[in-house]
Amino acid sequence: MPTTKQSTERKPEGTWPIKRVDDHIIFESGRKNVLVDTGSHISLGKQKTFTLLGKSVRLQPDIQGLTLERLSEFIHYRIDVLLGGDFLGLMPFTIDFSDNGLRFHDQPVRFQGEALKTDLFAGVPLVEVSIAGRPVSLVLDTGAKISFLDPSIIRDYPPVGKISDFSPFSGPFQTTRHEVPISIAGEEIMLQPGKTPKSLKEFFTKFNRANRLNIQGLLGNDLNYHFRVHFELGRSRIILRPHIQ
């Protein structure tokens, strides 16, 4: 069961306007377009390091062959830096689609809401939701514009259309979307996740087997239309507050 959580007090240190490009979360820092991607354990960029609010991270040129040039082609928007878990775990941050604000904090802040059951694996958050009364483990991935669920789960729900997206493993793909009720943080919401493409399903199958996990998909940025999402990844904590509050 989710529990009410509240972090200790501190005023936000900085707010950046979010550029929602095909529902990817991008902000501008020093004339660089920066993508926020909790689904990546490392940060990418052509420069050596990235610094924000006194915190720095060393940037890598690619991840599993995916470069920022290729990523920019996929989303039709120039990305100069991708921030992954190695940076995002250094300070709390809050994503708020209601005012298109991305807030980074240099210390814990007061944030009232419901805590998700969260574990970190190599800096990537794994969260638990409930679908049809059973627990489902998902990667909370702000680099994914929508959520994706394993075909064994999503086949039980009605299709509502198709979506085109891309995978770092295989490039562009098209898949069906389904309307699925999901219980999360004490709320039941309706999402339209995509059916996990074959390349991503194969990756999860190998990854789960090697690490004794049971990840069954991604929780993407469609979550942000329902909640303000507060991350304290350094403490394995994610707190949600519905937009209506």
Side-chain angles (χ1 to χ4, degrees), residues 36-51:
V36 179
D37 187 355
T38 56
S40 174
H41 65 288
I42 61 172
S43 299
L44 308 182
K46 288 184 176 180
Q47 60 206 65
K48 290 184 178 181
T49 60
F50 176 83
T51 301

Side-chain angles (χ1 to χ4, degrees), residues 14 34 46 48 60 65-66 72-75 79 85 98 115 127 165 175 180 182 185 191 208 226 228:
V34 184
K46 288 184 176 180
K48 290 184 178 181
Q60 305 301 320
L66 177 66
S72 299
E73 291 176 2
F74 284 147
I75 66 176
I79 301 299
S98 68
V127 300
D165 204 346
T175 190
V180 182
I182 296 177
L191 295 182
N208 287 337
H226 297 269
R228 298 175 181 90

Side-chain angles (χ1 to χ4, degrees), residues 40-45 57-61 81-87:
S40 174
H41 65 288
I42 61 172
S43 299
L44 308 182
V57 67
R58 182 173 293 277
L59 301 177
Q60 305 301 320
V81 176
L82 179 150
L83 286 185
D86 52 357
F87 180 86

Side-chain angles (χ1 to χ4, degrees), residues 130-150:
S130 178
I131 300 177
R134 68 184 184 91
V136 176
S137 178
L138 303 173
V139 175
L140 203 168
D141 185 0
T142 62
K145 65 181 183 179
I146 68 164
S147 302
F148 288 90
L149 292 175
D150 188 90

Side-chain angles (χ1 to χ4, degrees), residues 212-231:
R212 298 183 178 180
L213 296 171
N214 189 30
I215 300 170
Q216 294 180 281
L218 306 174
L219 190 58
N221 288 330
D222 40 359
L223 177 71
N224 298 306
Y225 286 99
H226 297 269
F227 299 96
R228 298 175 181 90
V229 186
H230 180 72
F231 295 82

Side-chain angles (χ1 to χ4, degrees), residues 28-176:
E28 188 172 324
S29 176
R31 297 185 179 180
K32 302 288 187 182
N33 292 323
V34 184
L35 175 72
V36 179
D37 187 355
T38 56
S40 174
H41 65 288
I42 61 172
S43 299
L44 308 182
K46 288 184 176 180
Q47 60 206 65
K48 290 184 178 181
T49 60
F50 176 83
T51 301
L52 189 74
L53 296 181
K55 304 292 187 181
S56 296
V57 67
R58 182 173 293 277
L59 301 177
Q60 305 301 320
D62 68 86
I63 178 170
Q64 296 179 326
L66 177 66
T67 63
L68 291 183
E69 289 83 0
R70 190 175 183 215
L71 177 62
S72 299
E73 291 176 2
F74 284 147
I75 66 176
H76 306 291
Y77 195 83
R78 191 190 82 247
I79 301 299
D80 302 301
V81 176
L82 179 150
L83 286 185
D86 52 357
F87 180 86
L88 297 172
L90 298 179
M91 68 179 78
F93 65 99
T94 307
I95 296 171
D96 188 349
F97 269 18
S98 68
D99 65 1
N100 275 330
L102 173 64
R103 297 170 178 87
F104 285 99
H105 318 274
D106 66 349
Q107 292 186 29
V109 299
R110 187 180 299 279
F111 192 89
Q112 190 74 33
E114 296 290 332
L116 277 176
K117 183 178 179 182
T118 306
D119 294 304
L120 287 188
F121 190 90
V124 173
L126 309 180
V127 300
E128 185 179 289
V129 304
S130 178
I131 300 177
R134 68 184 184 91
V136 176
S137 178
L138 303 173
V139 175
L140 203 168
D141 185 0
T142 62
K145 65 181 183 179
I146 68 164
S147 302
F148 288 90
L149 292 175
D150 188 90
S152 65
I153 298 173
I154 210 168
R155 67 189 177 195
D156 296 328
Y157 298 92
V160 292
K162 295 186 177 182
I163 187 170
S164 297
D165 204 346
F166 71 92
S167 164
F169 311 104
S170 61
F173 66 87
Q174 188 177 78
T175 190
T176 55

